[in-house]
Amino acid sequence: MDDIIQEALEKGVKLHAAGQLDLAEQLYEAALNLKPNHPEANHHMGRLKIDQGKQLEAWRAPIG
């Protein structure tokens, strides 16, 4: 499962950098659905939310 998460994050980062924020968000969310407390996935999702102007959504409470 870690390989799947890492692949989703790598693709998400590339899409994020290319300005395709909706697609990047889908990949980050998929990674977080598999492992909600994944530090790198949470980091990238937070940065994405800031880039979307959603600063209040950038903070995500840990689950569990």
Side-chain angles (χ1 to χ4, degrees):
M1 180 172 14
D2 288 335
D3 291 342
I4 294 168
I5 293 170
Q6 192 59 40
E7 185 176 339
L9 292 177
E10 288 172 8
K11 288 181 180 180
V13 168
K14 288 179 183 176
L15 290 167
H16 190 165
Q20 296 183 22
L21 303 184
D22 290 339
L23 293 174
E25 183 174 14
Q26 290 175 20
L27 289 168
Y28 297 155
E29 193 64 42
L32 289 167
N33 285 335
L34 293 172
K35 198 168 188 179
N37 291 322
H38 192 281
E40 188 178 352
N42 277 293
H43 168 77
H44 289 301
M45 182 64 89
R47 290 186 53 92
L48 177 91
K49 293 297 183 181
I50 289 170
D51 290 345
Q52 291 174 323
K54 300 176 182 177
Q55 286 80 2
L56 293 177
E57 293 179 32
W59 182 82
R60 183 180 175 120
I63 299 171

